Amino acid sequence: MNNETIPQVDPPKAVVEARGLDLTFQTKDSPIQALKDVSLTIEQGDFVSFIGPSGCGKTTFLRCIAALEQPTGGNLTVNGMTPDEARRSRAYGYVFQAAGLYPWRTIAKNIKLPLEIMGYSRADQDERVKKVLQLVDLEGFGGKFPWQLSGGMQQRASIARALAFDADILLMDEPFGALDEIVRDHLNEQLLKLWERTNKTIAFVTHSIPEAVYLSTRIVVMSPRPGRITDVIESPLPKERPLDIRDTPEFLEVAHRVREGLRAGHAYDD
Amino acid sequence: MKSVLAILTVVVALVGFWYAACVPMNIHEAAMQAQRAGEEVTPAEAPERRHMGRISLALKNTGLWSTVFSQERPQLPAPHQVAQEFWKTTWGMIERGRAFSKRSLILHGWITLSATLLGFAFGTALGIVLAVSIVHSRAMDMSVMPWIIASQTVPILAIAPMIVVVLAALSVDDIVAKGVISMYLSFFPVVVGMVKGLRSPDAMQMDQMKTWNATRTETLWKLRLPSSTPYLFASLKVGVAASLIGAVVAELSLSSNGGLGARLLAGSYYGQTVQIWSALFAAAALAAVLVWAIGVAQKVTLKRMGFAQ
Amino acid sequence: MMAWVFGSLLFWAAAWALNVRLSRLSAPWVRFFVPALFGMTVIIVWEGMVRGFGVNPVLLPAPSAIAATFVGEIPTLWGDLVQTFFKGALSGYVIGCTAGVLTAIAVDRSPFLQRGLLPVGNFVAALPIVGMAPILVMWFGFGWQSKAAVVVVMVFFPMLVNAVEGLRASETMQRDLMHTYAATPGQGLRKLRLPAAMPFIFNGLKICTTLALIGAIVAEFFGSPIKGMGFRISTEVGRLALDMVWAEIVVAAIVGSAFYGAVALAERVITFWHPSQRG
């Protein structure tokens, strides 16, 4: 019995691990290679953004992690399981481009939807709804119907819905793409705070460079035909990020690298 | 191609169900005939059989199953019996050079079809005219439109016998009397669809017309009517089906001059089930052909006009 | 006598002029007053013409005569209504629509069957199914049961088609969301696809209200006990008692609109969230 051993620091746990991932869609005319040889590790607590032009496979990759698409080659694990096992063990919450709230349910009942499906007790459901509504700043709106709220509020509600159950991964597919700049800034700031408080692992698809740089610890630059990773940029920015960090030289430097990466991927095409 | 297979599966399943239904439906009659022919039937007593359920009787007399598909006057004729009768009274009549004899479905079909088309043509014309005036006059819109919508919930067919009698009293031709009912039925879907269609150009397109200082007539011809074409065809399909139903039901009250409705009624008087079914299928085929023809016209027209399919 | 003709025409002109004026206003009462005045005009012109030209009541009875018959014959009309609507149409409607929705749910897991059923159902829905009435009267007898059977056959396919389309109506994204929750097919049906199908189901239910009444009335033309709206219409037409026929038609119109209105009201309550109900 030796209690004196030096406490070992856990090595960062790989949450998502992709090795040589391929995905080819069969269409009428010709097969389309949506993903080619994609390898990436996302670690516990990461905030990873995927950026690239449309058709670069960023959404497809996210959908593979969520087991909404089946890769045709390579290896992909989520929490050490296959994506489908991870889905069945409810390992992640998914936020789509549109809020996708059910119009016939109130905001609170919308957030309860996954909880009902996953069999949480009635009391637990109410408590969780209250908690996540607070997290996304929507207290007092639980009784409203989605169509009575603005687009930004609807999207916040859909994030709350993804946070309500105990998934430690949050997959977000251009969640703020349809919102205007001002609302988007506000939600970005809130999302960072939320990430800090909950310590979730977030994979975030976007096509906005400032958004990717502002939010992420790592930025994955992707490129189309075939969809592949062209660059992975570690962000040197601190975890604490006020909105005006976007005017600092460090921020502009990272943004510049992302833009270069995107351009390089594009040049390959010409 | 996949959906062709799916449709075939459903149709085959329906026909199979029909054949299966023939057994319990016709088993009582089959047992009676078998007994008359001196065959063994369980139970042997006719009154006892009458009180038995169809299915249990069928299960007790499996030997009789083969006879249920070929009876003279079955409760439910088998599909092939209906098909034979249908063939005999259409193509068979043509072969014998009697295509327009009283027993020919071609004659009766033609009588129904002519009334249908007459009513449909007038109903459509009336519907379009009314829709144009509703769209152009706010007073028309507010006074007439609510009544048109409300009248769609009224079982208009119930009036058919009365219209027939009144028009007969005015000594109007039979085909006109039937046409009036067909017209009445096809007119409503056309008005409702056309009002929607004539209003389908959006505010921007209407504003554009305004910037060119177009008159109301020009706007009607160059913008409203062309944009209403898809709506027109959709309502024409509903209208022609309704028109046919109107003609058939009118013929129930005006049966002396023939027509598919008259065949239905005659068949029901004399218990000629095979005749009823074949008249029914003739009506169905007519409906299918009419709707199909409008569908083809729709496809061609819309393609020419550049509407996305 | 001509006073009736001119009087009613004058009323028509005056009422139309008033309606043209009123229709430019946007007050809420105008929306009810204008059609009501128009309806009144039709009745007054009808009355005026019948009286003025002395139209034979065998051809067209005056509205006042119809109203008198209606009031005088309320017990008969009520008996016919019970026989045709409550026994025949309503029971057939409930059975047929339930069967349609249940069949749609039964084939819900099979896209193959749905692909086959939709065109077949759409085709059958356009056929003159009322023609089945003589056969069904032969099978189920003269009572209300055969009328209910006609209604079942008439409403089944339109209901099935609407329900199948409705169950396919939910968005791909919402189905993906259910997938990410690892929801069972039963949960997906209960929580997503059935609620999303409600507007379609109600559309079918509304179409079927009219069909049910038509089916029950027309089926009575092929044989019925000595009561029922269809029976009354066909016998009174035979006796040239058109005022009674019109009274039955008034009943049919009232019941038809009320039935439709009741379903539309239920739709408003249940699918309050749908854009078409919010405006």
Side-chain angles (χ1 to χ4, degrees), chain B residues 6 9 25 75 138 147 153 165 288, chain C residues 23 35 112 123 139 222 237 260:
Chain B
T9 311
M25 287 304 288
Q75 285 269 307
R138 215 176 133 66
W147 290 105
T153 66
V165 166
Chain C
S23 65
F112 178 76
F123 172 68
W139 287 353
F222 288 96
V237 161
Y260 186 93

Side-chain angles (χ1 to χ4, degrees), chain B residues 66-267:
Chain B
S66 56
T67 65
V68 299
F69 303 114
S70 53
Q71 293 171 0
E72 182 83 13
R73 284 180 180 188
Q75 285 269 307
L76 176 63
H80 67 263
Q81 286 178 291
V82 178
Q84 273 167 4
E85 166 80 9
F86 187 81
W87 191 250
K88 209 170 74 192
T89 49
T90 53
W91 185 248
M93 287 295 180
I94 295 178
E95 273 185 333
R96 285 191 281 154
R98 297 175 53 208
F100 286 90
S101 88
K102 277 256 168 203
R103 288 205 53 217
S104 159
L105 271 183
I106 298 178
L107 170 75
H108 294 290
W110 167 248
I111 293 172
T112 305
L113 178 68
S114 47
T116 303
L117 289 180
L118 183 75
F120 178 59
F122 278 97
T124 305
L126 189 64
I128 293 175
V129 170
L130 199 65
V132 168
S133 61
I134 284 175
V135 168
H136 282 95
S137 153
R138 215 176 133 66
M140 275 293 273
D141 180 20
M142 288 182 86
S143 8
V144 180
M145 204 55 195
W147 290 105
I148 288 183
I149 290 173
S151 69
Q152 286 203 301
T153 66
V154 176
I156 295 160
L157 266 185
I159 313 182
M162 187 182 67
I163 294 182
V164 165
V165 166
V166 169
L167 290 178
L170 294 172
S171 55
V172 175
D173 219 28
D174 276 4
I175 185 176
V176 178
K178 289 190 265 182
V180 166
I181 292 163
S182 287
M183 177 184 87
Y184 201 40
L185 283 179
S186 56
F187 145 82
F188 289 101
V190 174
V191 179
V192 175
M194 277 304 278
V195 166
K196 229 188 228 168
L198 291 171
R199 289 207 174 121
S200 65
D202 58 31
M204 202 188 66
Q205 288 169 313
M206 292 301 287
D207 282 348
Q208 177 129 63
M209 278 291 176
K210 223 175 255 171
T211 65
W212 294 328
N213 195 24
T215 63
R216 276 152 73 104
T217 326
E218 281 165 344
T219 309
L220 176 67
W221 283 105
K222 299 202 186 297
L223 177 60
R224 284 192 191 271
L225 279 175
S227 3
S228 72
T229 319
Y231 294 84
L232 175 65
F233 277 108
S235 3
L236 286 185
K237 279 188 187 166
V238 180
V240 81
S243 187
L244 180 69
I245 294 174
V248 170
V249 171
E251 281 162 356
L252 298 178
S253 316
L254 254 182
S255 53
S256 55
N257 281 354
L260 295 174
R263 288 288 279 185
L264 282 179
L265 198 66

Side-chain angles (χ1 to χ4, degrees), chain C residues 22-39:
Chain C
L22 284 177
S23 65
R24 296 203 192 107
L25 304 177
S26 56
W29 59 270
V30 170
R31 297 210 71 81
F32 295 95
F33 184 81
V34 169
L37 183 60
F38 179 79

Side-chain angles (χ1 to χ4, degrees), chain B residues 161-162 165-166, chain C residues 56-62 65-66 69-70 73 77 229 231-249:
Chain B
M162 187 182 67
V165 166
V166 169
Chain C
N56 188 342
V58 168
L59 287 183
L60 185 65
I66 297 170
T69 312
F70 186 94
E73 298 282 354
L77 293 172
M229 297 161 77
F231 165 80
R232 195 76 56 203
I233 288 174
S234 56
T235 51
E236 298 292 326
V237 161
R239 290 173 41 205
L240 297 179
L242 285 206
D243 49 343
M244 188 61 187
V245 177
W246 276 102
E248 287 285 358
I249 289 168

